[in-house]
């Protein structure tokens, strides 16, 4: 009885949706009401009955309701080209599953600290602070006024503190960039460019040179 119920449920789902799906898609979209094994068995039987079409693309199998069941003697102009749609859905599915695997891999790392959205906001904030620090350091380096020794000492101490903060936040920034881009199709350079972020190297600034300033 359960086998017949699974078969009817799967057939109804494919007929109602009228588009191709993989086994995993059907299992998830039916809200796990049927077990994967039961769904696979139902699909196999429906394929044998001729009411469902099975297509294989590489290692991926997809299933669709057989439109011939709804045809009389002519083909409607609105009938979907199953093969073409299966191909498109399969390619989209492969990309989506790849991204999901990458996202799942880093989710545990970010779940206890920052979400992806929070990480992006933090990156923008840190980048802005680094830009402000660069401007302050450039202003200090280009100053031509005679400065009293006591003020120079304060400036040097402040400079060292800012450089140390700069190094620390740069390290944090790049760590977050690496973490975020692990589950994105973009590489790190393109991701930073999209956010309008520049590295020290992009603006010809050397941290080691900053540390040597006295």
């Amino acid at each position: 009885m359960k086998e017949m119920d699974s078969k009817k449920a799967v057939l109804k789902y494919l007929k109602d949706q009228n588009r191709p799906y993989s086994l995993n898609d059907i299992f998830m979209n039916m809200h796990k009401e049927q077990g994967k094994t039961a769904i696979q068995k139902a699909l196999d039987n429906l394929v044998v009955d001729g009411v469902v079409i099975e297509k294989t693309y590489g290692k991926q199998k997809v299933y669709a309701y057989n439109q011939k069941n709804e045809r009389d003697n002519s083909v409607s102009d609105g009938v979907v080209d199953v093969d073409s749609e299966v191909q498109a859905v399969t390619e989209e599915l492969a990309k989506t599953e790849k991204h999901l695997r990458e996202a799942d891999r880093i989710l545990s790392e970010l779940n206890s600290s920052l979400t992806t959205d929070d990480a992006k906001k933090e990156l923008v904030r840190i980048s802005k602070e680094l830009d402000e620090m660069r401007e302050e350091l450039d202003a200090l380096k280009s100053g031509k006024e005679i400065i009293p020794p006591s003020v120079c000492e304060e400036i040097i101490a402040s400079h060292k503190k800012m450089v140390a903060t700069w190094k620390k936040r740069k390290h944090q920034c790049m760590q977050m960039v690496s973490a975020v881009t692990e589950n994105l199709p973009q590489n790190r350079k393109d991701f930073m460019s999209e956010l309008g972020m520049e590295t020290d190297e992009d603006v010809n600034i050397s941290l080691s040179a900053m540390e040597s300033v006295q």
Side-chain angles (χ1 to χ4, degrees):
M1 186 65 179
K2 288 185 177 180
E3 181 177 334
M4 183 60 67
D5 290 342
S6 296
K7 187 174 179 180
K8 289 181 179 179
V10 171
L11 178 59
K12 183 179 185 305
Y13 174 77
L14 289 175
K15 184 177 180 180
D16 290 345
Q17 299 302 315
N18 194 29
R19 62 173 295 180
Y21 287 101
S22 68
L23 169 63
N24 191 59
D25 285 335
I26 298 170
F27 173 66
M28 296 301 294
N29 293 343
M30 292 180 70
H31 309 294
K32 303 180 182 180
E33 294 176 356
Q34 306 287 338
K36 271 191 178 182
T37 302
I39 292 175
Q40 183 64 73
K41 190 170 183 179
L43 287 169
D44 291 340
N45 289 332
L46 291 169
V47 170
V48 172
D49 293 343
V51 293
V52 167
I53 297 173
E54 176 188 275
K55 294 289 182 180
T56 301
Y57 294 91
K59 296 182 179 180
Q60 183 73 50
K61 286 186 177 182
V62 294
Y63 302 87
Y65 180 68
N66 192 344
Q67 294 291 335
K68 291 181 180 179
N69 297 308
E70 302 297 328
R71 296 171 183 169
D72 296 317
N73 297 319
S74 61
V75 179
S76 170
D77 292 336
V79 174
V80 176
D81 184 342
V82 175
D83 283 345
S84 298
E85 187 168 354
V86 166
Q87 178 86 26
V89 170
T90 301
E91 292 174 358
E92 181 181 352
L93 176 65
K95 292 179 182 178
T96 301
E97 289 182 341
K98 181 180 179 181
H99 291 163
L100 284 174
R101 287 195 300 269
E102 293 175 349
D104 287 339
R105 183 167 60 85
I106 71 164
L107 181 60
S108 58
E109 299 175 6
L110 297 178
N111 196 36
S112 60
S113 55
L114 296 175
T115 64
T116 299
D117 288 338
D118 289 339
K120 288 181 178 179
K121 292 177 183 177
E122 186 68 4
L123 286 173
V124 173
R125 185 185 68 79
I126 292 175
S127 178
K128 183 178 179 181
E129 289 185 3
L130 289 175
D131 287 339
E132 292 173 353
M133 288 181 180
R134 290 190 186 105
E135 293 176 1
E136 292 177 6
L137 289 173
D138 287 341
L140 289 173
K141 289 174 63 179
S142 61
K144 296 181 180 179
E145 296 182 2
I146 299 176
I147 303 174
S150 60
V151 176
C152 285
E153 291 176 0
E154 291 178 4
I155 291 174
I156 291 173
S158 176
H159 170 77
K160 289 181 178 179
K161 182 178 179 181
M162 284 192 291
V163 170
T165 302
W166 183 349
K167 290 178 64 177
K168 179 180 178 181
R169 293 191 176 180
K170 177 182 178 182
H171 179 69
Q172 292 175 335
C173 177
M174 298 314 295
Q175 277 190 322
M176 284 187 284
V177 168
S178 296
V180 171
T181 55
E182 280 183 2
N183 70 321
L184 295 177
Q186 300 167 294
N187 57 38
R188 188 171 69 178
K189 183 177 180 181
D190 292 340
F191 175 77
M192 293 176 67
S193 175
E194 183 178 332
L195 291 180
M197 298 172 60
E198 294 180 327
T199 64
D200 297 337
E201 292 74 18
D202 290 336
V203 292
N204 298 318
I205 291 179
S206 169
L207 263 179
S208 59
M210 292 292 103
E211 292 176 316
S212 65
V213 174
Q214 298 294 333

